[in-house]
């Protein structure tokens, strides 16, 4: 793990960039190209889908605009970011020479520009708020009626979430606060968080960095203060249905206009870009931007392509596929990501310092826990959420209707800490800012566990991290006692499931049987005729399809679908009974949960020599949140991207772990040296004594 020292703040930022490039050159270049919409140039045709979205949503251009505004308004932060980029450029060549994936794909690293860290940040978080869910809700409403708009909004997991908890000093062994938790992300190889320590005369901070971005945005410990975040599940991005018309300007140039508020036709910025594709033909992309934002969905057969089309005649198909949609998101509107908070967090000495730094935060919107050695505690929301019509949060809204315009920014809530504070993406402090939240199970379970002791130590927090109790199993199992005239095998299975302790332990065979029963139930629900209009392949850009498939939606919403009155024609009991009989008849051998619930991390280029990934305990509603996709697969691609315990009494007693290791180069000693520890929810001590470290100068 890098522990970096420099004589000043800019030298330290340079060192962070350089060591990150040396350790993770491949990862940095993959992320840079993804942010720029050019990853297909070395990864091939499968990456065109993302590159098209990156270009049409103007990710890199937004980063340029934000960096330009930073240079004008906050030159000190701009210089700090630039120093990091200079360090990346100083380390890229040596880092690339360590990694055979560059040669295998023909990728040659190229110099970064100062705005690239901002582009990586935007690209990493553009889908965090889950705006594609609005496409799904629109599809549901058209198929089943507006009253079912939130039928599947049973607070199921999104692309990201987190657990976090803060225990004040009156409940710890040391008399000082402890902050702990874990961000839930798609697990990638190399890992998405980098354990690192940054020290200069002004500060000495350790934490988890996002490779390609300077500082420690999400999780850090300065010695006298510490902070951590979870996704607030806020809704801060809007989709607008655009009415377009095309014509010719001077010299035959294409002209595009959009129908704006009050029936006024407005000019649309238009240009084309070319995606270079390794092993395939180049792809030309039309990039349009209305006054609302970039157009990210182009309608097939859009009547707006015909000059003079009246907005009132604008049709929308049953699946929403005929809509032309623009995306409005805060960084592009504000020209600000809140990066001034990053160096300010490194300099923080107290909770008040952290609070002030986060007042300027923009995206993503987070719930924050912070504590300091003076007893200060902080539980707040940080980020930019627009004020607008409530319908904007639910579905695409008409661009030509002025009531859907943004009207400023919502205040960010804060709450006093009483007893202890828990954040697990559930409804709570951020409720006024969102629509869908995580189920309360993880938060409730953490509270239950924390209530069991008033004498917490950092080491004891590992038991909270590894807890596998699955409270969301109860509504499904609660139906079983009412079934009569079951086959002997089904009666035996029912008895076994009802006796199960509801724990998704790695070695539990009952957990595997429950997962099979749940899968059978989900698939039977998905095949019900009531959902026939939602069962087809999604329309529109493939980048949004993960939000638009019926089977995963039912899998994550099963708990609510078992009790909702919105679809009375759905015979839940019949489906559950049939699933029980089906599972019993399969009579599969008892298998530990970890044998089917295996890690499957994302790799930009698969490693042909990779060892078998470990099996895991847990499930998506457990504190040990290793998400399968119920009804589709028991494999897990989303889990804890890091685990941490920050001790405010003695920083050297803090603990952490990441899924793989510190080095991003496959086959090196520290590439996967934490993997098995992480799989068992074990944590390793942080190191703060410089005398215990091996010194290298860069």
């Amino acid at each position: 793990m890098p522990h970096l020292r420099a004589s000043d703040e800019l030298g330290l930022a340079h060192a962070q960039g350089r060591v990150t490039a040396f350790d993770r050159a491949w990862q940095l270049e993959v992320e840079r190209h993804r942010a720029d919409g050019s990853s297909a140039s070395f990864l091939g045709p499968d990456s065109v889908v993302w590159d098209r979205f990156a270009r049409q949503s103007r990710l890199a251009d937004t980063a340029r605009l934000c960096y330009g505004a930073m240079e004008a308004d906050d030159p000190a932060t701009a210089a700090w970011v630039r120093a990091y980029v200079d360090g990346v450029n100083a380390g890229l060549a040596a880092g690339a020479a360590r990694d055979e994936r560059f040669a295998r794909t023909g990728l040659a690293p190229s110099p970064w520009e100062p705005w690239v860290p901002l582009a990586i940040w935007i690209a990493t978080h553009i889908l965090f708020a889950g705006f594609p869910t609005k496409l799904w809700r629109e599809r549901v409403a058209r198929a089943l009626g507006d009253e079912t708009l939130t039928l599947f909004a049973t607070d199921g997991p999104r692309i990201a979430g987190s657990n976090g908890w803060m225990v004040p000093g009156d409940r710890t062994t040391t008399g000082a606060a402890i902050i702990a938790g874990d961000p839930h992300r798609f697990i990638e190889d190399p890992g998405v968080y980098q354990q690192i320590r940054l020290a200069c005369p002004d500060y000495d901070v350790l934490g988890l960095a996002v490779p390609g971005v300077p500082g420690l945005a999400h999780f850090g410990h300065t010695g006298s203060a510490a902070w951590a975040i979870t996704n607030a599940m806020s809704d801060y991005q809007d989709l607008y249905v655009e009415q377009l018309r095309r014509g010719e300007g001077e010299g035959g140039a294409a002209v595009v206009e959009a129908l704006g508020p009050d029936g006024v036709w407005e000019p649309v910025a238009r240009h084309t870009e070319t995606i270079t594709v390794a092993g395939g033909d180049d792809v030309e992309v039309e990039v349009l931007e209305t006054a609302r934002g970039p157009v990210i969905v182009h309608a097939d057969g859009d009547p707006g392509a015909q000059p003079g089309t009246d907005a009132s005649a604008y049709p929308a198909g049953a699946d929403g596929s005929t809509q032309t949609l623009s995306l409005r998101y805060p960084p592009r509107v504000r020209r600000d990501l809140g990066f001034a908070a990053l160096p300010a967090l490194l300099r923080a000495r107290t909770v008040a310092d952290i609070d002030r730094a986060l007042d300027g935060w923009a995206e993503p919107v987070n719930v924050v826990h912070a504590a300091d050695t003076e007893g200060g505690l902080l539980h707040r929301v940080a980020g930019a959420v627009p004020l607008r019509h409530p319908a904007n949060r639910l579905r695409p809204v008409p661009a030509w209707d002025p009531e859907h315009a943004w009207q400023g920014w919502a205040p960010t809530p804060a709450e006093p800490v009483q007893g202890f504070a828990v954040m697990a993406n559930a409804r709570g402090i951020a409720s006024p800012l969102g629509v869908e939240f995580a189920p309360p199970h993880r938060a409730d379970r953490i509270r239950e566990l924390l209530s069991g002791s008033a004498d917490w130590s950092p080491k004891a927090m590992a038991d909270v991290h590894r807890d596998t109790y699955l409270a969301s199993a109860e509504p499904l199992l609660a139906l079983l006692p009412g079934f009569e005239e079951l086959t002997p095998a089904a009666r035996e299975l029912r008895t076994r499931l009802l006796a199960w302790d509801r724990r998704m332990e790695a070695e539990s065979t009952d957990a595997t049987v429950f997962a099979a029963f749940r899968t059978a139930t989900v698939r039977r629900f998905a095949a019900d005729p009531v959902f026939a209009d939602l069962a087809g392949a999604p329309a529109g850009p493939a980048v949004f399809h993960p939000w638009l498939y019926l089977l995963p939606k039912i899998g994550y919403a099963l708990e609510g679908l078992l009790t909702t009155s919105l679809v009375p024609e759905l015979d839940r009991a019949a489906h559950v009974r049939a699933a029980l009989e089906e599972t019993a008849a399969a009579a599969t051998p008892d298998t530990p949960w970890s044998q089917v619930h295996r890690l499957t991390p994302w790799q930009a280029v698969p490693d042909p020599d990779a060892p078998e990934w470990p099996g895991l305990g847990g499930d998506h509603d457990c504190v040990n949140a290793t998400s399968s996709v119920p009804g589709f697969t028991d494999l897990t691609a989303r889990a804890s991207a890091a685990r941490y315990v920050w001790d405010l009494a003695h920083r050297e007693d803090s603990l952490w772990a990441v899924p793989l290791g510190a080095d991003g180069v496959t086959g090196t000693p520290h590439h996967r040296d934490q993997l098995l520890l992480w799989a068992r929810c074990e944590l390793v001590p942080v190191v703060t004594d410089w005398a215990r470290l091996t010194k290298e100068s860069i």
Side-chain angles (χ1 to χ4, degrees):
M1 303 172 195
H3 291 243
L4 307 179
R5 286 194 292 196
S7 59
D8 57 45
E9 186 175 50
L10 294 183
L12 184 59
H14 186 281
Q16 185 184 5
R18 184 168 179 176
V19 77
T20 303
F22 184 78
D23 287 347
R24 297 168 177 254
W26 170 257
Q27 181 180 24
L28 294 192
E29 283 295 87
V30 167
E31 294 305 318
R32 178 178 73 85
H33 281 279
R34 281 176 55 81
D36 201 33
S38 57
S39 57
S41 64
F42 64 100
L43 296 179
D46 289 347
S47 295
V48 169
V49 167
W50 171 265
D51 285 353
R52 184 190 300 274
F53 168 69
R55 291 169 184 258
Q56 290 182 332
S57 56
R58 316 291 322 268
L59 302 186
D61 186 68
T62 301
R64 294 185 191 97
L65 293 173
C66 289
Y67 186 79
M70 185 194 302
E71 279 193 306
D73 301 332
D74 185 4
T77 300
W80 180 74
V81 174
R82 192 162 54 247
Y84 178 88
V85 170
D86 290 343
V88 170
N89 288 332
L92 267 180
R98 301 177 64 228
D99 201 315
E100 57 84 24
R101 286 170 290 194
F102 283 92
R104 194 179 351 155
T105 60
L107 176 64
S110 55
W112 282 28
E113 296 183 60
W115 51 265
V116 169
L118 285 73
I120 289 176
W121 189 264
I122 295 170
T124 298
H125 297 102
I126 187 66
L127 296 174
F128 258 45
F131 71 80
T133 302
K134 296 178 182 181
L135 302 176
W136 172 253
R137 294 195 200 109
E138 184 76 6
R139 191 177 182 190
V140 170
R142 294 183 185 282
L144 301 177
D146 280 357
E147 69 277 8
T148 66
L149 191 67
T150 58
L151 174 64
F152 294 85
T154 51
D155 294 353
R158 300 195 198 177
I159 192 169
S162 303
N163 295 323
W165 58 95
M166 180 166 60
V167 181
D170 60 359
R171 301 178 67 90
T172 70
T173 58
T174 63
I178 296 173
I179 298 175
D182 58 315
H184 305 153
R185 296 273 301 271
F186 283 106
I187 303 302
E188 300 181 12
D189 181 7
V192 299
Y193 281 111
Q194 174 193 32
Q195 297 154 302
I196 199 167
R197 183 181 181 188
L198 306 172
C200 65
D202 290 333
Y203 50 76
D204 182 342
V205 190
L206 60 84
L208 297 160
V210 174
V213 178
L216 302 167
H218 288 160
F219 310 97
H221 196 324
T222 70
S224 62
W227 68 92
I229 61 94
T230 64
N231 188 339
M233 312 299 276
S234 298
D235 184 272
Y236 52 87
Q237 301 162 325
D238 283 349
L239 291 174
Y240 287 90
V241 180
E242 295 284 357
Q243 177 77 8
L244 304 183
R245 68 180 184 184
R246 297 175 184 265
E248 290 187 1
E250 294 183 7
V255 173
V256 184
E257 294 179 311
L259 189 64
D262 301 319
V264 177
W265 288 96
E266 305 167 335
V268 174
R270 177 191 180 275
H271 69 276
T272 61
E273 298 182 10
T274 300
I275 299 173
T276 301
V277 183
D281 296 332
D282 290 353
V283 176
E284 187 175 270
V285 177
E286 182 183 47
V287 179
L288 302 175
E289 185 164 10
T290 73
R292 270 66 56 195
V295 173
I296 60 169
V297 177
H298 292 256
D300 296 327
D302 182 358
Q306 303 299 321
T309 303
D310 183 69
S312 63
Y314 187 82
D319 63 358
S321 62
T322 61
Q323 293 179 322
T324 294
L325 301 173
S326 63
L327 172 66
R328 189 167 181 81
Y329 59 104
R332 191 150 186 88
V333 174
R334 294 160 57 103
R335 305 292 195 262
D336 179 31
L337 277 172
F339 263 39
L342 301 184
L345 286 171
L346 297 177
R347 294 190 291 266
R349 295 291 182 269
T350 66
V351 156
D353 296 335
I354 294 170
D355 197 15
R356 281 192 297 271
L358 293 174
D359 281 341
W361 188 245
E363 186 179 26
V365 180
N366 296 320
V367 177
V368 181
H369 283 166
D372 61 34
T373 54
E374 298 176 4
L377 302 171
L378 178 68
H379 184 199
R380 65 163 293 181
V381 177
V385 179
L387 294 168
R388 73 276 206 216
H389 192 282
N392 289 40
R393 295 184 178 183
L394 293 172
R395 64 201 303 178
V397 293
W400 52 86
D401 188 338
E403 75 173 356
H404 295 293
W406 288 9
Q407 303 292 336
W409 304 95
T412 51
E415 291 181 351
V417 177
Q418 298 177 342
F420 42 75
V422 175
M423 50 185 187
N425 318 117
R427 292 185 182 275
I429 189 173
S431 293
L433 305 178
V435 176
E436 296 186 36
F437 295 82
H441 306 305
R442 286 186 285 118
D444 288 348
R445 181 62 174 168
I446 293 169
R447 291 188 184 96
E448 179 183 356
L449 294 170
L450 294 179
S451 298
S453 173
D455 202 25
W456 285 100
S457 67
K459 288 184 178 179
M461 290 301 177
D463 290 334
V464 180
H465 278 291
R466 68 170 60 95
D467 188 80
T468 63
Y469 185 76
L470 186 68
S472 61
E474 184 57 34
L476 179 56
L477 298 177
L479 294 175
L480 300 186
F483 296 151
E484 299 179 355
E485 299 181 0
L486 295 172
T487 64
R491 286 198 301 272
E492 183 179 348
L493 176 59
R494 176 175 64 182
T495 299
R496 179 178 181 179
L497 288 171
L498 291 176
W500 172 49
D501 62 6
R502 293 4 179 216
R503 294 181 182 275
M504 303 297 284
E505 291 289 343
E507 299 308 314
S508 172
T509 57
D510 290 341
T512 308
V513 171
F514 169 77
F517 169 50
R518 181 177 61 185
T519 288
T521 302
V522 169
R523 290 177 178 173
R524 288 183 176 275
F525 271 48
D528 192 286
V530 72
F531 299 127
D533 289 340
L534 298 172
V543 71
F544 306 135
H545 286 184
W547 283 265
L548 304 177
Y549 279 108
L550 177 64
L551 192 65
K553 284 291 185 181
I554 288 179
Y556 288 136
L558 180 61
E559 185 179 3
L561 291 172
L562 287 167
T563 57
T564 182
S565 61
L566 291 175
V567 280
E569 59 271 46
L570 179 65
D571 193 340
R572 300 159 185 79
H575 289 317
V576 174
R577 178 192 180 109
L580 183 70
E581 292 283 5
E582 175 189 333
T583 308
T588 54
D590 276 354
T591 302
W593 177 229
S594 59
Q595 287 192 19
V596 297
H597 190 57
R598 307 194 73 85
L599 179 65
T600 55
W602 180 83
Q603 297 172 303
V605 175
D607 178 5
D609 301 320
E612 185 177 40
W613 294 101
L616 305 173
D619 200 32
H620 61 271
D621 282 332
C622 302
V623 178
N624 184 8
T626 55
S627 291
S628 59
V629 184
F632 179 70
T633 181
D634 289 328
L635 298 173
T636 181
R638 193 172 71 90
S640 299
R643 297 188 180 99
Y644 59 90
V645 177
W646 297 150
D647 183 7
L648 270 300
H650 307 286
R651 188 172 66 165
E652 61 271 21
D653 291 335
S654 298
L655 304 164
W656 56 3
V658 294
L660 297 175
D663 200 331
V665 179
T666 302
T668 55
H670 300 297
H671 179 55
R672 293 180 181 156
D673 56 346
Q674 296 181 55
L675 176 60
L676 296 182
L677 293 170
W678 171 86
R680 297 191 297 265
C681 291
E682 296 180 15
L683 302 169
V684 299
V686 305
V687 175
T688 59
D689 183 356
W690 292 100
R692 295 177 57 194
L693 304 174
T694 301
K695 182 178 179 180
E696 297 180 6
S697 298
I698 62 171

